[in-house]
Amino acid sequence: MTMNNNKIRFGAERLTIEDVVAIANGAQAAMNDSEAYKARIDRGVAFLERLLKEEGVIYGVTTGYGDSCTVAIPPSLVDDLPLNLTRFHGCGLGDILTHEQSRAVLATRLCSLAQGVSGVSHDVLNQLINLINFDIAPRIPQEGSVGASGDLTPLSYVAATLIGEREVLYKGQLRDTRDVFAELGITPIQLKPKEGLALMNGTSVMTALACLAYKRAEYLAQLSTKITALVSVGMHGNDFHFDEALFAVKPHPGQQQIAAWLRDDLQADCPPRNSDRLQDRYSLRCAPHVIGTVQDALPWLRQLIENELNSANDNPIIDGDNERVLHGGHFYGGHIAMAMDTLKTGVANLADLLDRQMAQLMDYKFNNGLPFNLTGAEGARKPINHGFKAVQIGISAWTAEALKHTMPASVFSRSTECHNQDKVSMGTIAARDCLRVLQLTEQVAAASLLAATQAIELRKRHDELDEQHMSHSLKQMVDAVQSEFDFVVEDRPLEADLRLFIERIQAQHWTLY
């Protein structure tokens, strides 16, 4: 990350996933202001302008788009072409990207254009900076992209915003763009002949969503490990399943990391007794192997996402230094599609793991002496109280839906646009699927965290566990949960508690490891 006066600087060094997430969460931005960089941008613009004067054939500048590339555009209409492009793509449907997601899209598109080979002017780059720094988020519908030629339809909402059209999210309200610009003294720009295409023809929506998804998955892997440790203590599980020598003979580094975190979590001054079973069921014993697949995939996924983030991914590429127009297919989102199809499967496996742990924890036949459904009720009122019974049903429902969404989107290419776009990536659909799987798995994790904490407290109240039986890190986690969650004695609606803890998870409220 390159910082300039506490701003993330574009057009300098490579950006990271964390930079995009920081912009999404409100960080400010700045352009590389070096003379060498500004001259590079100018060379690309000047080269295009010279080609235009010479009436050179430039795709998307003096021709129509896609299958219409054989249509020659009269010189008198060249300046109107980018405006028409932004307008006819204004047909997105579905839910609207959140304010944070829209800001992430601004960051990813700016990063691509700032590579200096898209032929855009300083006006475009600086207007994107304005949107970020004034916290103006284009209203972007989620649906309508096949992931090649990039995210044309959703990115048309970014292009339209730069010229003062359509609507934006500003200070929690949906407002007309032109009104917000007038209020803030921002002048709408006029797009030069290639700038509409440069803004829209790329992978920036799917990449933005992938950056956000990556950080949520990274945290979920850690949280699933912490919950597993709590469940192991609550179940009187066997801590020797995570022995260092055991994991040394299977050298997946991510899997070894998960086992090491579990060892640290379960290292108490006076460990609780182990289960009478020689081997715990797979959802405890094999937890490092399940969570470890996600942990081991993260470096590879980071490579795919950050390479896409720092790429020029429109068409054509404008090589101003060597005065060449390079026609290709960098708008194709196959790497993000592969990353998101992979990540959503790994995350759904975390939901499935926690679901199986919860099935054990609730069932008195398998939970080593805990009350059925983890009810805290005692005495005469115990028969009418059902504790976490319905929560466990919910966990099963959310897990099933997460698993259902793991069908890979990338294999469902559809030939479209007069068979010009005859093989497409579906990367944006894969990213949206991944976000849905993350949401469902975060719901499972929130419920599992509350249930595991309930189990720990039940052991304490039955004198089967005390402070010496838990590591400092697990005590901290239990204390943090109990500061906001009351032990369930009498049945009560738990929706509000679940929603609160989902918010805590999505805000990455706790430092876990």
Side-chain angles (χ1 to χ4, degrees), residues 226-251:
K226 189 70 71 176
I227 291 169
T228 296
L230 291 169
V231 172
S232 182
V233 171
M235 289 275 294
H236 290 322
N238 296 299
D239 58 1
F240 54 72
H241 288 319
F242 315 117
D243 184 87
E244 186 173 7
L246 174 65
F247 278 87
V249 303
K250 193 170 186 183

Side-chain angles (χ1 to χ4, degrees), residues 459-475:
R459 292 290 189 197
K460 288 180 180 178
R461 294 188 179 205
H462 295 165
D463 295 324
E464 297 170 347
L465 197 66
D466 59 36
E467 293 295 298
Q468 292 181 309
H469 292 144
M470 288 202 299
S471 66
H472 177 67
S473 63
L474 283 194
K475 283 186 283 190

Side-chain angles (χ1 to χ4, degrees), residues 289-467:
H289 308 75
V290 178
I291 307 170
T293 59
V294 176
Q295 191 71 18
D296 273 305
L298 290 175
W300 171 65
L301 295 171
R302 178 183 287 276
Q303 175 188 321
L304 294 184
I305 295 167
E306 289 186 349
N307 278 344
E308 192 70 33
L309 168 64
N310 290 283
S311 72
N313 45 65
D314 59 310
N315 177 55
I317 296 299
I318 306 301
D319 180 1
D321 292 338
N322 297 298
E323 298 193 341
R324 298 180 68 196
V325 178
L326 306 171
H327 295 89
H330 285 347
F331 47 70
Y332 194 89
H335 285 82
I336 295 296
M338 177 66 73
M340 293 295 94
D341 277 349
T342 301
L343 186 58
K344 71 184 184 184
T345 302
V347 170
N349 259 306
L350 299 182
D352 197 38
L353 176 76
L354 296 176
D355 174 55
R356 294 301 83 211
Q357 290 178 1
M358 291 303 104
Q360 283 193 65
L361 201 60
M362 307 290 174
D363 194 332
Y364 70 93
K365 297 187 295 296
F366 305 113
N367 64 15
N368 289 334
L370 288 166
F372 59 85
N373 299 310
L374 303 180
T375 180
E378 300 281 356
R381 296 192 60 79
K382 186 173 182 178
I384 67 166
N385 279 280
H386 294 78
F388 281 70
K389 178 187 282 286
V391 171
Q392 201 249 325
I393 296 171
I395 289 170
S396 293
W398 305 322
T399 298
E401 187 175 345
L403 297 172
K404 182 177 72 71
H405 278 282
T406 58
M407 176 71 76
S410 55
V411 298
F412 283 92
S413 174
R414 309 295 299 162
S415 184
T416 188
E417 206 255 313
C418 301
H419 298 295
N420 174 53
Q421 300 178 22
D422 61 344
K423 173 62 177 158
V424 294
S425 75
M426 297 297 180
T428 314
I429 295 173
R432 288 172 38 233
D433 280 350
C434 188
L435 291 177
R436 179 59 181 155
V437 171
L438 280 160
Q439 174 68 39
L440 291 161
T441 305
E442 287 158 350
Q443 293 171 191
V444 171
S448 300
L449 181 60
L450 298 186
T453 302
Q454 176 88 358
I456 296 286
E457 185 62 24
L458 282 165
R459 292 290 189 197
K460 288 180 180 178
R461 294 188 179 205
H462 295 165
D463 295 324
E464 297 170 347
L465 197 66
D466 59 36
E467 293 295 298

